[in-house]
Amino acid sequence: GTVAAAIAADSQHWTPRETGGALLGHVDALSRTIYISDLVDAPEDSERYPERFVLGTRGLKAALRQAHADSVGYLHYVGTWHSHPMGGPHSQTDFDTLQRLASFAPGLPVVSLVWTPTGLLCEVGRFHEK
């Protein structure tokens, strides 16, 4: 099971509601490549609606820390994913969220993946001090 397959399966399971989760991976600064290697499921306090997904926070930091420890420090939080069951690109809300999440990791890129029935869309944000 690849990450893409897991995202597709979860997205289809929750359709017509949006769903999502956190992305784990590794940022290689030299090759300017972000490797996405695993997912952290949406916490139980996440909210799923047909027009939006709100990633919960209950247990999320602990799950991310555990994954980091289990990978001997290789895997880090690299962003989030969510679904657009009816299709469509990143919304303004998605871009705003990406900026907010990028502020958690100053200087590091943060990924936002959107699953649509026709494929995955990717945006990368980077936090800049105003």
Side-chain angles (χ1 to χ4, degrees), residues 5-6 12 17 56 104 111:
Q12 287 158 352
R17 287 179 284 170
F104 295 160
V111 174

Side-chain angles (χ1 to χ4, degrees), residues 48-82:
R48 295 174 176 92
Y49 304 99
E51 72 293 338
R52 69 190 165 103
F53 169 72
V54 182
L55 184 65
T57 56
R58 191 178 305 138
L60 184 59
K61 280 204 174 106
L64 293 170
R65 273 199 296 269
Q66 188 64 53
H68 183 70
D70 290 349
S71 68
V72 199
Y74 186 74
L75 293 182
H76 301 265
Y77 165 80
V78 292
T80 61
W81 73 272
H82 71 282

Side-chain angles (χ1 to χ4, degrees), residues 72-129:
V72 199
Y74 186 74
L75 293 182
H76 301 265
Y77 165 80
V78 292
T80 61
W81 73 272
H82 71 282
S83 63
H84 284 179
M86 314 311 337
H90 283 75
S91 67
Q92 187 55 53
T93 302
D94 297 337
F95 283 114
D96 294 345
T97 301
L98 183 56
Q99 268 307 303
R100 199 169 69 245
L101 293 175
S103 70
F104 295 160
L108 289 177
V110 177
V111 174
S112 171
L113 282 184
V114 168
W115 178 90
T116 73
T118 53
L120 285 168
L121 305 172
C122 181
E123 292 287 344
V124 178
R126 192 184 278 267
F127 181 69
H128 299 290
E129 294 289 346

